[in-house]
Amino acid sequence: MRKTVTLALGLALLALTAFSSRVEAGGEQIFNDKKCTDCHYTQGPAREKTIADRLAQKGPELWYAGDKFQAPWLTGWLADPKPIRPLKFNSLTEKNAGDHPKLSGDEAKEVAAFLMGLKTGEVKTGEIQPKNNPKGKQIFTKTMPCSGCHPYPEKESVVGGLSAPSLAGAGARLNPDWIYAYLANPKLFKPVKMMPVFTDLLKEDDMKKVAAHVASF
């Protein structure tokens, strides 16, 4: 009896794995057919080596999307995209038009499954738990301050700068462990960065506090 149950579970797992693989393959095909590759690249590590390479990009790189995002948010956003950046990608003056193409519900699920399969293998899980802590908030708003570039939620409104992606709703959008990994080893994801490198400015524990704070938004 036990062998029969084990065999049945094994076959079910194989079937589920095969189904997931088909969904990811279908998502990649949709991604290519929709010409998403015109703005985003899914091959890593990061291609940019100079500022010119960085400025030539039309949209964020997605080769580590599975490390960065949370699947439910990504699926919903692809079906009903809302601007994350106040300004157009790679612009300091032009407003984000909010004209990202929409996908149908089924397309969004398949493309999200494909993108969530893109990982570096370098982001440890279980490192960060979302927590609104005073030290993380102080570093974020005053010591660095991250709030000079990033919009972020404060009480009933969104405040902060306009030159970087909004962190309002980051708790649902971003993987907390990726936030910390990005702060701790930014060159893994972006050899050419438009934001400060914190590894020589903050202690490891402080970076974890900032990551936990951002993940609580």
Side-chain angles (χ1 to χ4, degrees):
M1 179 66 177
R2 182 175 296 176
K3 289 183 179 180
T4 301
V5 172
T6 301
L7 178 60
L9 289 173
L11 290 173
L13 181 59
L14 286 173
L16 180 60
T17 301
F19 174 74
S20 297
S21 297
R22 289 197 298 273
V23 169
E24 287 185 22
E28 183 175 14
Q29 187 64 55
I30 294 168
F31 189 89
N32 293 331
D33 290 346
K34 295 288 186 179
K35 299 187 182 303
C36 303
T37 51
D38 287 353
C39 295
H40 306 279
Y41 59 79
T42 56
Q43 301 296 318
R47 295 178 182 175
E48 66 262 18
K49 306 300 180 185
T50 67
I51 289 292
D53 294 335
R54 177 70 179 163
L55 294 177
Q57 287 185 238
K58 298 179 181 178
E61 60 282 327
L62 295 174
W63 63 275
Y64 52 89
D67 286 328
K68 181 177 182 179
F69 297 117
Q70 296 193 41
W73 176 88
L74 184 58
T75 302
W77 191 89
L78 290 169
D80 186 20
K82 298 289 192 301
I84 297 172
R85 297 170 179 270
L87 300 177
K88 186 178 179 180
F89 188 78
N90 273 341
S91 174
L92 294 177
T93 58
E94 189 175 351
K95 185 178 179 180
N96 188 338
D99 55 357
H100 192 284
K102 292 183 179 182
L103 298 179
S104 70
D106 289 340
E107 289 174 337
K109 290 177 182 178
E110 294 196 44
V111 172
F114 160 60
L115 293 176
M116 290 303 298
L118 304 179
K119 298 184 178 183
T120 64
E122 299 294 331
V123 177
K124 296 180 181 180
T125 59
E127 287 278 308
I128 304 298
Q129 297 298 320
K131 183 179 180 181
N132 186 346
N133 61 81
K135 183 65 178 292
K137 182 176 182 179
Q138 180 186 29
I139 295 170
F140 181 87
T141 56
K142 296 180 180 179
T143 307
M144 286 298 94
C146 313
S147 57
C149 295
H150 292 277
Y152 68 100
E154 180 68 28
K155 297 181 180 179
E156 299 295 324
S157 61
V158 175
V159 298
L162 300 175
S163 61
S166 175
L167 294 175
R173 182 171 88 244
L174 301 176
N175 171 13
D177 293 317
W178 176 82
I179 299 173
Y180 168 62
Y182 183 55
L183 292 174
N185 188 11
K187 288 190 176 182
L188 172 67
F189 305 98
K190 296 178 185 291
V192 179
K193 286 170 52 61
M194 308 295 260
M195 62 178 276
V197 175
F198 296 107
T199 48
D200 294 329
L201 302 174
L202 294 175
K203 297 178 181 178
E204 179 181 346
D205 189 56
D206 286 340
M207 283 191 283
K208 288 184 176 182
K209 285 183 170 66
V210 174
H213 179 65
V214 172
S216 74
F217 289 164

